[in-house]
Amino acid sequence: MLITYSRPQDLDPKQLDPAAPAADLDPAGYECEAETVDVGGTPWSCTRRRAHTDDEHRAVFGQLGDGPAEAVAIAWAYEHGGAGYGPPSPEAVHTITVTVTFPESASTGVAADRIAADVLSSFWECDHDHVRVAVTSSTRTP
């Protein structure tokens, strides 16, 4: 995740920041709801209108924090992916299927959790919410 805007700490809570991006709120109250956590550990969810057409998510102070209710507190974008929750719909989605068959005596401790973690290590950390890893294990006796 790349933070593209963070409200300056030295502003008075009621003061608007002229450098802040527009809140882009939906008049009906619908929200994108993409989520992130800032460097201080505060969770935020995108309050912009659903289906915004660029990659930037924005959260206003109305949901959390000390500042003007409809002023943007933080804005962020993902290194990969599009507006909303990941790649835009025209982008291809890839599926990789791997089947490993082995006799039990050959195993040195196959752990589904470790396999899933190894797969996730191949992707940007901020994109883990967009990657689905399913590891199943079964045993059959011949």
Side-chain angles (χ1 to χ4, degrees), residues 96-102 107-123 128 131-138:
I96 300 170
T97 303
V98 177
T99 303
V100 179
T101 305
F102 54 90
S107 172
T108 59
V110 176
D113 294 358
R114 190 178 71 227
I115 293 170
D118 287 348
V119 171
L120 284 173
S121 71
S122 299
F123 297 91
H128 285 189
V131 178
R132 302 290 174 251
V133 180
V135 180
T136 58
S137 176
S138 63

PDB file of all heavy atoms in Angstrom, residues 96-102 107-123 128 131-138:
ATOM      1  N   ILE A  96      -3.512 -20.984 -10.643  1.00  0.00           N
ATOM      2  CA  ILE A  96      -2.455 -21.988 -10.735  1.00  0.00           C
ATOM      3  C   ILE A  96      -2.899 -23.172  -9.889  1.00  0.00           C
ATOM      4  O   ILE A  96      -3.221 -23.011  -8.712  1.00  0.00           O
ATOM      5  CB  ILE A  96      -1.111 -21.452 -10.198  1.00  0.00           C
ATOM      6  CG1 ILE A  96      -0.669 -20.229 -11.016  1.00  0.00           C
ATOM      7  CG2 ILE A  96      -0.056 -22.542 -10.217  1.00  0.00           C
ATOM      8  CD1 ILE A  96       0.512 -19.489 -10.409  1.00  0.00           C
ATOM      9  N   THR A  97      -2.911 -24.354 -10.479  1.00  0.00           N
ATOM     10  CA  THR A  97      -3.287 -25.566  -9.752  1.00  0.00           C
ATOM     11  C   THR A  97      -2.070 -26.486  -9.704  1.00  0.00           C
ATOM     12  O   THR A  97      -1.485 -26.802 -10.733  1.00  0.00           O
ATOM     13  CB  THR A  97      -4.454 -26.292 -10.447  1.00  0.00           C
ATOM     14  OG1 THR A  97      -5.545 -25.378 -10.551  1.00  0.00           O
ATOM     15  CG2 THR A  97      -4.879 -27.519  -9.660  1.00  0.00           C
ATOM     16  N   VAL A  98      -1.717 -26.897  -8.503  1.00  0.00           N
ATOM     17  CA  VAL A  98      -0.597 -27.811  -8.313  1.00  0.00           C
ATOM     18  C   VAL A  98      -1.108 -29.000  -7.505  1.00  0.00           C
ATOM     19  O   VAL A  98      -1.698 -28.817  -6.443  1.00  0.00           O
ATOM     20  CB  VAL A  98       0.571 -27.145  -7.552  1.00  0.00           C
ATOM     21  CG1 VAL A  98       1.694 -28.131  -7.303  1.00  0.00           C
ATOM     22  CG2 VAL A  98       1.065 -25.918  -8.306  1.00  0.00           C
ATOM     23  N   THR A  99      -0.883 -30.188  -7.997  1.00  0.00           N
ATOM     24  CA  THR A  99      -1.252 -31.397  -7.267  1.00  0.00           C
ATOM     25  C   THR A  99       0.020 -32.167  -6.966  1.00  0.00           C
ATOM     26  O   THR A  99       0.801 -32.454  -7.865  1.00  0.00           O
ATOM     27  CB  THR A  99      -2.208 -32.281  -8.101  1.00  0.00           C
ATOM     28  OG1 THR A  99      -3.355 -31.504  -8.441  1.00  0.00           O
ATOM     29  CG2 THR A  99      -2.631 -33.516  -7.319  1.00  0.00           C
ATOM     30  N   VAL A 100       0.228 -32.458  -5.711  1.00  0.00           N
ATOM     31  CA  VAL A 100       1.406 -33.222  -5.290  1.00  0.00           C
ATOM     32  C   VAL A 100       0.903 -34.543  -4.723  1.00  0.00           C
ATOM     33  O   VAL A 100       0.088 -34.554  -3.802  1.00  0.00           O
ATOM     34  CB  VAL A 100       2.212 -32.457  -4.210  1.00  0.00           C
ATOM     35  CG1 VAL A 100       3.415 -33.261  -3.777  1.00  0.00           C
ATOM     36  CG2 VAL A 100       2.609 -31.077  -4.713  1.00  0.00           C
ATOM     37  N   THR A 101       1.378 -35.628  -5.296  1.00  0.00           N
ATOM     38  CA  THR A 101       1.009 -36.965  -4.814  1.00  0.00           C
ATOM     39  C   THR A 101       2.295 -37.651  -4.371  1.00  0.00           C
ATOM     40  O   THR A 101       3.286 -37.648  -5.100  1.00  0.00           O
ATOM     41  CB  THR A 101       0.326 -37.772  -5.939  1.00  0.00           C
ATOM     42  OG1 THR A 101      -0.781 -37.014  -6.438  1.00  0.00           O
ATOM     43  CG2 THR A 101      -0.154 -39.115  -5.439  1.00  0.00           C
ATOM     44  N   PHE A 102       2.283 -38.216  -3.176  1.00  0.00           N
ATOM     45  CA  PHE A 102       3.487 -38.856  -2.646  1.00  0.00           C
ATOM     46  C   PHE A 102       3.099 -39.920  -1.629  1.00  0.00           C
ATOM     47  O   PHE A 102       2.056 -39.819  -0.984  1.00  0.00           O
ATOM     48  CB  PHE A 102       4.407 -37.813  -1.987  1.00  0.00           C
ATOM     49  CG  PHE A 102       3.716 -36.987  -0.925  1.00  0.00           C
ATOM     50  CD1 PHE A 102       3.700 -37.407   0.398  1.00  0.00           C
ATOM     51  CD2 PHE A 102       3.073 -35.798  -1.264  1.00  0.00           C
ATOM     52  CE1 PHE A 102       3.060 -36.652   1.361  1.00  0.00           C
ATOM     53  CE2 PHE A 102       2.428 -35.042  -0.298  1.00  0.00           C
ATOM     54  CZ  PHE A 102       2.423 -35.468   1.023  1.00  0.00           C
ATOM     55  N   SER A 107       7.072 -38.092   3.071  1.00  0.00           N
ATOM     56  CA  SER A 107       6.791 -36.777   3.634  1.00  0.00           C
ATOM     57  C   SER A 107       7.654 -36.487   4.854  1.00  0.00           C
ATOM     58  O   SER A 107       7.889 -37.348   5.697  1.00  0.00           O
ATOM     59  CB  SER A 107       5.317 -36.712   4.054  1.00  0.00           C
ATOM     60  OG  SER A 107       5.079 -35.517   4.752  1.00  0.00           O
ATOM     61  N   THR A 108       8.118 -35.250   4.925  1.00  0.00           N
ATOM     62  CA  THR A 108       8.856 -34.817   6.118  1.00  0.00           C
ATOM     63  C   THR A 108       8.014 -33.843   6.930  1.00  0.00           C
ATOM     64  O   THR A 108       8.532 -33.036   7.675  1.00  0.00           O
ATOM     65  CB  THR A 108      10.183 -34.131   5.722  1.00  0.00           C
ATOM     66  OG1 THR A 108       9.886 -33.008   4.891  1.00  0.00           O
ATOM     67  CG2 THR A 108      11.107 -35.090   5.004  1.00  0.00           C
ATOM     68  N   GLY A 109       6.700 -33.947   6.748  1.00  0.00           N
ATOM     69  CA  GLY A 109       5.797 -33.064   7.495  1.00  0.00           C
ATOM     70  C   GLY A 109       5.204 -32.003   6.595  1.00  0.00           C
ATOM     71  O   GLY A 109       5.603 -30.852   6.650  1.00  0.00           O
ATOM     72  N   VAL A 110       4.265 -32.379   5.778  1.00  0.00           N
ATOM     73  CA  VAL A 110       3.591 -31.431   4.901  1.00  0.00           C
ATOM     74  C   VAL A 110       2.613 -30.622   5.746  1.00  0.00           C
ATOM     75  O   VAL A 110       1.742 -31.190   6.387  1.00  0.00           O
ATOM     76  CB  VAL A 110       2.854 -32.170   3.751  1.00  0.00           C
ATOM     77  CG1 VAL A 110       2.072 -31.181   2.907  1.00  0.00           C
ATOM     78  CG2 VAL A 110       3.842 -32.955   2.911  1.00  0.00           C
ATOM     79  N   ALA A 111       2.778 -29.304   5.739  1.00  0.00           N
ATOM     80  CA  ALA A 111       1.925 -28.428   6.549  1.00  0.00           C
ATOM     81  C   ALA A 111       1.198 -27.454   5.638  1.00  0.00           C
ATOM     82  O   ALA A 111       1.822 -26.634   4.964  1.00  0.00           O
ATOM     83  CB  ALA A 111       2.768 -27.673   7.574  1.00  0.00           C
ATOM     84  N   ALA A 112      -0.124 -27.532   5.619  1.00  0.00           N
ATOM     85  CA  ALA A 112      -0.934 -26.672   4.749  1.00  0.00           C
ATOM     86  C   ALA A 112      -0.691 -25.191   5.049  1.00  0.00           C
ATOM     87  O   ALA A 112      -0.603 -24.378   4.129  1.00  0.00           O
ATOM     88  CB  ALA A 112      -2.408 -27.016   4.902  1.00  0.00           C
ATOM     89  N   ASP A 113      -0.552 -24.833   6.322  1.00  0.00           N
ATOM     90  CA  ASP A 113      -0.321 -23.429   6.691  1.00  0.00           C
ATOM     91  C   ASP A 113       0.977 -22.911   6.081  1.00  0.00           C
ATOM     92  O   ASP A 113       1.050 -21.792   5.590  1.00  0.00           O
ATOM     93  CB  ASP A 113      -0.251 -23.257   8.209  1.00  0.00           C
ATOM     94  CG  ASP A 113      -1.564 -23.559   8.905  1.00  0.00           C
ATOM     95  OD1 ASP A 113      -2.548 -23.876   8.209  1.00  0.00           O
ATOM     96  OD2 ASP A 113      -1.595 -23.478  10.138  1.00  0.00           O
ATOM     97  N   ARG A 114       2.017 -23.731   6.146  1.00  0.00           N
ATOM     98  CA  ARG A 114       3.316 -23.336   5.608  1.00  0.00           C
ATOM     99  C   ARG A 114       3.256 -23.194   4.091  1.00  0.00           C
ATOM    100  O   ARG A 114       3.833 -22.279   3.513  1.00  0.00           O
ATOM    101  CB  ARG A 114       4.400 -24.329   6.022  1.00  0.00           C
ATOM    102  CG  ARG A 114       5.808 -23.814   5.697  1.00  0.00           C
ATOM    103  CD  ARG A 114       6.904 -24.761   6.150  1.00  0.00           C
ATOM    104  NE  ARG A 114       6.871 -25.930   5.277  1.00  0.00           N
ATOM    105  CZ  ARG A 114       6.916 -27.196   5.706  1.00  0.00           C
ATOM    106  NH1 ARG A 114       6.999 -27.458   6.978  1.00  0.00           N
ATOM    107  NH2 ARG A 114       6.886 -28.191   4.852  1.00  0.00           N
ATOM    108  N   ILE A 115       2.540 -24.099   3.426  1.00  0.00           N
ATOM    109  CA  ILE A 115       2.411 -24.025   1.972  1.00  0.00           C
ATOM    110  C   ILE A 115       1.689 -22.743   1.575  1.00  0.00           C
ATOM    111  O   ILE A 115       2.116 -22.021   0.669  1.00  0.00           O
ATOM    112  CB  ILE A 115       1.679 -25.272   1.424  1.00  0.00           C
ATOM    113  CG1 ILE A 115       2.555 -26.512   1.622  1.00  0.00           C
ATOM    114  CG2 ILE A 115       1.308 -25.093  -0.044  1.00  0.00           C
ATOM    115  CD1 ILE A 115       1.848 -27.824   1.349  1.00  0.00           C
ATOM    116  N   ALA A 116       0.603 -22.422   2.266  1.00  0.00           N
ATOM    117  CA  ALA A 116      -0.141 -21.194   1.969  1.00  0.00           C
ATOM    118  C   ALA A 116       0.737 -19.959   2.190  1.00  0.00           C
ATOM    119  O   ALA A 116       0.748 -19.034   1.379  1.00  0.00           O
ATOM    120  CB  ALA A 116      -1.396 -21.116   2.824  1.00  0.00           C
ATOM    121  N   ALA A 117       1.498 -19.928   3.270  1.00  0.00           N
ATOM    122  CA  ALA A 117       2.392 -18.799   3.556  1.00  0.00           C
ATOM    123  C   ALA A 117       3.473 -18.680   2.489  1.00  0.00           C
ATOM    124  O   ALA A 117       3.824 -17.563   2.077  1.00  0.00           O
ATOM    125  CB  ALA A 117       3.027 -18.962   4.936  1.00  0.00           C
ATOM    126  N   ASP A 118       3.997 -19.821   2.027  1.00  0.00           N
ATOM    127  CA  ASP A 118       5.006 -19.793   0.963  1.00  0.00           C
ATOM    128  C   ASP A 118       4.437 -19.200  -0.322  1.00  0.00           C
ATOM    129  O   ASP A 118       5.099 -18.420  -1.004  1.00  0.00           O
ATOM    130  CB  ASP A 118       5.551 -21.200   0.686  1.00  0.00           C
ATOM    131  CG  ASP A 118       6.472 -21.706   1.791  1.00  0.00           C
ATOM    132  OD1 ASP A 118       6.881 -20.905   2.653  1.00  0.00           O
ATOM    133  OD2 ASP A 118       6.765 -22.914   1.789  1.00  0.00           O
ATOM    134  N   VAL A 119       3.208 -19.547  -0.650  1.00  0.00           N
ATOM    135  CA  VAL A 119       2.575 -19.001  -1.855  1.00  0.00           C
ATOM    136  C   VAL A 119       2.369 -17.493  -1.694  1.00  0.00           C
ATOM    137  O   VAL A 119       2.691 -16.712  -2.586  1.00  0.00           O
ATOM    138  CB  VAL A 119       1.234 -19.717  -2.147  1.00  0.00           C
ATOM    139  CG1 VAL A 119       0.473 -19.003  -3.252  1.00  0.00           C
ATOM    140  CG2 VAL A 119       1.477 -21.164  -2.520  1.00  0.00           C
ATOM    141  N   LEU A 120       1.854 -17.061  -0.550  1.00  0.00           N
ATOM    142  CA  LEU A 120       1.601 -15.634  -0.333  1.00  0.00           C
ATOM    143  C   LEU A 120       2.881 -14.812  -0.363  1.00  0.00           C
ATOM    144  O   LEU A 120       2.853 -13.634  -0.713  1.00  0.00           O
ATOM    145  CB  LEU A 120       0.872 -15.413   0.990  1.00  0.00           C
ATOM    146  CG  LEU A 120      -0.613 -15.758   0.977  1.00  0.00           C
ATOM    147  CD1 LEU A 120      -1.187 -15.654   2.384  1.00  0.00           C
ATOM    148  CD2 LEU A 120      -1.377 -14.876   0.019  1.00  0.00           C
ATOM    149  N   SER A 121       4.015 -15.410  -0.031  1.00  0.00           N
ATOM    150  CA  SER A 121       5.273 -14.671  -0.038  1.00  0.00           C
ATOM    151  C   SER A 121       5.675 -14.233  -1.444  1.00  0.00           C
ATOM    152  O   SER A 121       6.549 -13.393  -1.610  1.00  0.00           O
ATOM    153  CB  SER A 121       6.391 -15.494   0.613  1.00  0.00           C
ATOM    154  OG  SER A 121       6.760 -16.574  -0.230  1.00  0.00           O
ATOM    155  N   SER A 122       5.013 -14.762  -2.466  1.00  0.00           N
ATOM    156  CA  SER A 122       5.302 -14.386  -3.853  1.00  0.00           C
ATOM    157  C   SER A 122       4.553 -13.132  -4.300  1.00  0.00           C
ATOM    158  O   SER A 122       4.736 -12.676  -5.422  1.00  0.00           O
ATOM    159  CB  SER A 122       4.924 -15.537  -4.793  1.00  0.00           C
ATOM    160  OG  SER A 122       5.670 -16.685  -4.488  1.00  0.00           O
ATOM    161  N   PHE A 123       3.687 -12.567  -3.433  1.00  0.00           N
ATOM    162  CA  PHE A 123       2.869 -11.422  -3.797  1.00  0.00           C
ATOM    163  C   PHE A 123       3.158 -10.251  -2.866  1.00  0.00           C
ATOM    164  O   PHE A 123       3.608 -10.440  -1.738  1.00  0.00           O
ATOM    165  CB  PHE A 123       1.373 -11.781  -3.689  1.00  0.00           C
ATOM    166  CG  PHE A 123       0.970 -12.866  -4.653  1.00  0.00           C
ATOM    167  CD1 PHE A 123       1.031 -14.202  -4.275  1.00  0.00           C
ATOM    168  CD2 PHE A 123       0.558 -12.555  -5.936  1.00  0.00           C
ATOM    169  CE1 PHE A 123       0.677 -15.207  -5.151  1.00  0.00           C
ATOM    170  CE2 PHE A 123       0.200 -13.549  -6.821  1.00  0.00           C
ATOM    171  CZ  PHE A 123       0.256 -14.879  -6.430  1.00  0.00           C
ATOM    172  N   HIS A 128      -2.383  -9.186  -0.503  1.00  0.00           N
ATOM    173  CA  HIS A 128      -2.787 -10.482   0.059  1.00  0.00           C
ATOM    174  C   HIS A 128      -4.304 -10.632   0.154  1.00  0.00           C
ATOM    175  O   HIS A 128      -4.822 -11.738   0.032  1.00  0.00           O
ATOM    176  CB  HIS A 128      -2.142 -10.703   1.427  1.00  0.00           C
ATOM    177  CG  HIS A 128      -0.685 -11.060   1.326  1.00  0.00           C
ATOM    178  ND1 HIS A 128       0.037 -11.469   2.413  1.00  0.00           N
ATOM    179  CD2 HIS A 128       0.179 -11.081   0.288  1.00  0.00           C
ATOM    180  CE1 HIS A 128       1.285 -11.723   2.051  1.00  0.00           C
ATOM    181  NE2 HIS A 128       1.395 -11.474   0.759  1.00  0.00           N
ATOM    182  N   VAL A 131      -5.568 -12.220  -3.080  1.00  0.00           N
ATOM    183  CA  VAL A 131      -5.027 -13.522  -3.495  1.00  0.00           C
ATOM    184  C   VAL A 131      -5.729 -14.600  -2.678  1.00  0.00           C
ATOM    185  O   VAL A 131      -5.797 -14.518  -1.452  1.00  0.00           O
ATOM    186  CB  VAL A 131      -3.492 -13.590  -3.256  1.00  0.00           C
ATOM    187  CG1 VAL A 131      -2.948 -14.951  -3.641  1.00  0.00           C
ATOM    188  CG2 VAL A 131      -2.784 -12.488  -4.032  1.00  0.00           C
ATOM    189  N   ARG A 132      -6.258 -15.582  -3.334  1.00  0.00           N
ATOM    190  CA  ARG A 132      -6.926 -16.686  -2.648  1.00  0.00           C
ATOM    191  C   ARG A 132      -6.036 -17.920  -2.754  1.00  0.00           C
ATOM    192  O   ARG A 132      -5.664 -18.330  -3.848  1.00  0.00           O
ATOM    193  CB  ARG A 132      -8.289 -16.987  -3.286  1.00  0.00           C
ATOM    194  CG  ARG A 132      -9.240 -15.811  -3.299  1.00  0.00           C
ATOM    195  CD  ARG A 132      -9.721 -15.476  -1.888  1.00  0.00           C
ATOM    196  NE  ARG A 132     -10.528 -14.274  -1.881  1.00  0.00           N
ATOM    197  CZ  ARG A 132     -10.123 -13.119  -1.372  1.00  0.00           C
ATOM    198  NH1 ARG A 132      -8.938 -12.999  -0.842  1.00  0.00           N
ATOM    199  NH2 ARG A 132     -10.920 -12.065  -1.385  1.00  0.00           N
ATOM    200  N   VAL A 133      -5.707 -18.493  -1.620  1.00  0.00           N
ATOM    201  CA  VAL A 133      -4.889 -19.705  -1.569  1.00  0.00           C
ATOM    202  C   VAL A 133      -5.698 -20.777  -0.846  1.00  0.00           C
ATOM    203  O   VAL A 133      -6.117 -20.579   0.294  1.00  0.00           O
ATOM    204  CB  VAL A 133      -3.552 -19.475  -0.823  1.00  0.00           C
ATOM    205  CG1 VAL A 133      -2.733 -20.742  -0.778  1.00  0.00           C
ATOM    206  CG2 VAL A 133      -2.762 -18.337  -1.481  1.00  0.00           C
ATOM    207  N   ALA A 134      -5.933 -21.872  -1.506  1.00  0.00           N
ATOM    208  CA  ALA A 134      -6.656 -22.989  -0.891  1.00  0.00           C
ATOM    209  C   ALA A 134      -5.745 -24.212  -0.937  1.00  0.00           C
ATOM    210  O   ALA A 134      -5.323 -24.633  -2.001  1.00  0.00           O
ATOM    211  CB  ALA A 134      -7.943 -23.272  -1.634  1.00  0.00           C
ATOM    212  N   VAL A 135      -5.420 -24.735   0.212  1.00  0.00           N
ATOM    213  CA  VAL A 135      -4.582 -25.931   0.292  1.00  0.00           C
ATOM    214  C   VAL A 135      -5.423 -27.006   0.960  1.00  0.00           C
ATOM    215  O   VAL A 135      -5.911 -26.820   2.079  1.00  0.00           O
ATOM    216  CB  VAL A 135      -3.294 -25.669   1.102  1.00  0.00           C
ATOM    217  CG1 VAL A 135      -2.451 -26.919   1.173  1.00  0.00           C
ATOM    218  CG2 VAL A 135      -2.506 -24.525   0.496  1.00  0.00           C
ATOM    219  N   THR A 136      -5.618 -28.107   0.280  1.00  0.00           N
ATOM    220  CA  THR A 136      -6.362 -29.230   0.854  1.00  0.00           C
ATOM    221  C   THR A 136      -5.468 -30.441   0.872  1.00  0.00           C
ATOM    222  O   THR A 136      -4.544 -30.561   0.073  1.00  0.00           O
ATOM    223  CB  THR A 136      -7.640 -29.542   0.051  1.00  0.00           C
ATOM    224  OG1 THR A 136      -7.269 -29.831  -1.296  1.00  0.00           O
ATOM    225  CG2 THR A 136      -8.589 -28.359   0.067  1.00  0.00           C
ATOM    226  N   SER A 137      -5.740 -31.306   1.775  1.00  0.00           N
ATOM    227  CA  SER A 137      -4.947 -32.521   1.903  1.00  0.00           C
ATOM    228  C   SER A 137      -5.875 -33.711   2.097  1.00  0.00           C
ATOM    229  O   SER A 137      -6.893 -33.599   2.776  1.00  0.00           O
ATOM    230  CB  SER A 137      -4.016 -32.374   3.121  1.00  0.00           C
ATOM    231  OG  SER A 137      -3.298 -33.577   3.314  1.00  0.00           O
ATOM    232  N   SER A 138      -5.546 -34.801   1.464  1.00  0.00           N
ATOM    233  CA  SER A 138      -6.334 -36.018   1.651  1.00  0.00           C
ATOM    234  C   SER A 138      -5.392 -37.211   1.624  1.00  0.00           C
ATOM    235  O   SER A 138      -4.299 -37.166   1.071  1.00  0.00           O
ATOM    236  CB  SER A 138      -7.405 -36.155   0.559  1.00  0.00           C
ATOM    237  OG  SER A 138      -6.788 -36.270  -0.703  1.00  0.00           O
TER     238      SER A 138
END
